[in-house]
Amino acid sequence: MKPADAPVDKSRRAFLAGSGFMVSFALFGSWRALAGETNTLGATILAPDLPGDLKIDPILDSWIKIDAQGVTVCSGKVELGTGVRTALWQIAADQLAMPLDKFKFVTADTALTPDEGYTAGSHSMADGGTAIYHAAIQVRQMLLEAAAAKLGVPTKSLMLRDGIILSGDGRQMTYEEAAQGVNLHQQAKSVSPQGDPSAYRYIGHSIPRVDIPAKVTGGTAYVQDLRLDGMLHARVVRPPNASAQLKEIDTRAIETMRGVVKVVRDGNFLAVLAEHEWEAIQAMRALRERAQWQLTQTYPTNDTIHAVLKTLPERLYVTTRENNGPVKQVLSNASAASISAPASPTRSLAMTKQYVLHGSIGPSCAVAVFRNDMLTVWTHSQGVFPLRAGIAELLGLPKENVRCIHAEGAGCYGHNGADDAACDAAVLAYRTPNRPVRVQWMRDQEAGWEPLGPAMLTEINAVTDAHGKLQSWHHALWSTPHNSRIVNAGRLIPATLLAHPAAPASPAPIPQPEGDADRNAVPLYRIPSVRVDMHFVTDMPFRTSAMRSLGAYINVTTIEGMMDDLAEQFGEDPVAYRLQHLDDPRARDVIQRAANRFGWNLATPLPEGHGIGFAFSQYKNLMGYCAIALEVKLDKAARSVRIVRVVAAVDCGQIVSPDGLTNQIEGGIVQSSSWTLYEQALVGENGVQSVDWSSYPIARFPHIPAAIEVELIDRPGAPFLGAAEIAQAPTAAALINAIKRVVGWRPLHLPVARQDSPIFA
Amino acid sequence: MINLNVNGQTQPLEVTPETPLLYALRDHLKLNGAKYGCGMGQCGACTVLVDGRPVFSCLFPVSSVGTREVRTLESLGTTERPGPLQQAFIDHQAVQCGYCIAGMIMRAQALLEQVARPTEQQIREHMAPNLCRCGTHKRILAAIRQVADKGQRLNAGALKERA
Ligand code: FES
Ligand code: FES
């Protein structure tokens, strides 16, 4: 092990990626980071012994600033529509013992806030929330001690009320007064004073979200709503696919169109800037009509993609777990062919998933201005710091001369077009000094150019004893990367289109235990021998990146399908069969709570066409627990599947906002049912063919479950865990398990309920 | 130059006749209520009311508005004094990212101005043109029902009365 302060210039991920030899390291339940390493969200660990994201920024006044104007709490995490801003604010309020409206809360601005990497992977509460939880109470304690000294009384005699320090003799002091002379520019301690949960006014309470009033009344709420003085409207024209080359184009007729300020062409990068938005759109359309592209490559289709994935260049990552001990992951130099599945499995199950779109309702947008050598970008990126580094690299500017400020966009659900649109705005603003530039992608551009959620194949072979007890488990999967985040300029689409393009960094998976395509591929169930082969396909026919729950979505669907099938084979109830293989009391709890509330009983007669399904997972095997029980109704004549009723039981540790948590689970269930029933990005020889909501249909109101019930299990004192990604995988699994009970066979290819689906035959 | 009656005020706008109403509202009148989602009449993010009927403002040319009254989300209330439907969305926390919500509220407003007590199925069918990607549907339905269950049609002139 390296000493804590030794500089390390290679991340664990880079190390894994670059090595062609067998490398091996053990991963224990709680993976301990080393100083200098990069965490899975792209932030650098400085102080491994501190709680949460204090690890990556250990200095107290990075988080909490106090000046004459009052208290400001800073977070590098951003609101993505999950309510996390309010939840983090709640934590700060209770730990500072201040009312919510008595202090400012600033998020994700490279000039003001700590660098917490990406807001992703359900880490915001666990890492960001934990950092604020500790920083706030440590600062509060320092203020109390300072006030005690100033007032000449013991610290213990002081009370806190509404952000005022009260002494028994009637004197009082504001935090600002107490803070004078206190140095908050110091490292946080690894142990914090105990808070008093009984005094919490916010944590554990459903506080109305702070962002909602503006959103329901037409306030300025989104980056799309920014209107800066002198702002130009820009539109880009994208190639028909990523490999197309722009032949000559005559732009003179477009430059003279009404309102057009200029046309920018640089290699395959094409854009137009105009005074008004509609003028920019008309010019974009004219430009698109004139642009002639040379198509240089043909692409796999929806029918061929899964066969193609097995033939592309790959790296093989093998994860094993022996006797339910820690998981171990190695990058194997063995060729895929030399690894075989168990010779005589009790059961086998293979599934496929098509490419999917994040499909934000609002296509990506950004505003940028280049003024006095400073480039400022307003963006709905999930990671303003990595984005800044990418833009600075591309434009050859020092990082200090680029500032990225988060402003909300529509929900992104992972890596969508946000960063690329921000880069478009940056490139255009840099060439148009002193005029703010607003770039708004069109719907077809978002659909055609967002990174896709990867197509995947999974194959499980399980071996049991004669009574159905699991003995060994082999899970093989094929996928392109789930993490093409911005680690260099070349990961930004505009950078790849310029005449002097930047090359994307080579792909590297998020290692176990969090996992990438192999997220959740190791079952939580008790099995003496588990092996997961991740065929990490490095050659991406289509750019793919993170979409909520990553590989967990299909891995859990396959695992939970296998559990159901084995239960059936051995005449066991599927819920009981799962419990027989589970030791973790919190896992057992969510399963029992969901089953009880649902009234799980396979013997209960159901109407014709109805079926029930059950599934469970603990997200990443180390985050929130979620069990789902649901009933579906399949109508062959109407070619429809509807969820009649769904019950979720969840455990996300200590609950900060019960209603916020419920909202996330409800959303996850609806979103996953849409993915599972309907969604596949159409791909064909010329690239992505889904360009709108008719070529990429998603669930509409008539398709939404009739009843969604969410049961919350609170764990006071346990670490905060994220909620936005925990319901997707078990929902999909339960849905497929229920459909199997209706049709009598297991649908193996997602999505399952498109109009031509065999389940309606 | 085109005169548009928006939220009770008639304003002259320097726009060409084919300009979709969405851009007149957002770009020229600086109103945030109507959102750009698809520009193709497929998502409803841009929904506003023209003479009480929900329209996709992304497709609706300003020249087709004529003298009819356009109403946007801003006409229903303010953060300090939200209208009944806006308040119901706050009460139910019927928002995740919220990007679809402006259009949702306007489409629901149109129904609730016409029908005193719509059924669940009526509401779902009426709302079908509007997409929500976050999966907030259940809460959106609950918020609409909160107002619907009062059994009284919403007042189309709410803005003017409050003003
Ligand atoms: S933006 Fe008008 S319907 Fe989608
Ligand atoms: S709340 Fe995000 S799209 Fe509806």
Side-chain angles (χ1 to χ4, degrees), chain A residues 58 143 166 496 745:
Chain A
L143 295 178
L166 304 171
T496 67
W745 50 273

Side-chain angles (χ1 to χ4, degrees), chain B residues 54-67:
Chain B
V55 304
F56 299 123
S57 66
C58 67
L59 294 179
F60 205 90
V62 283
S63 58
S64 302
V65 178
T67 57

Side-chain angles (χ1 to χ4, degrees), chain B residues 22 35-46 56-58:
Chain B
L22 175 67
K35 304 290 185 208
Y36 170 72
C38 67
M40 290 181 278
Q42 297 176 341
C43 77
C46 63
F56 299 123
S57 66
C58 67

Side-chain angles (χ1 to χ4, degrees), chain A residues 361 413, chain B residues 95-101 132-134 136:
Chain A
I361 287 297
Y413 328 110
Chain B
V95 168
Q96 286 186 65
C97 77
Y99 196 86
C100 68
I101 295 297
C132 172
R133 185 57 165 159
C134 295
T136 316

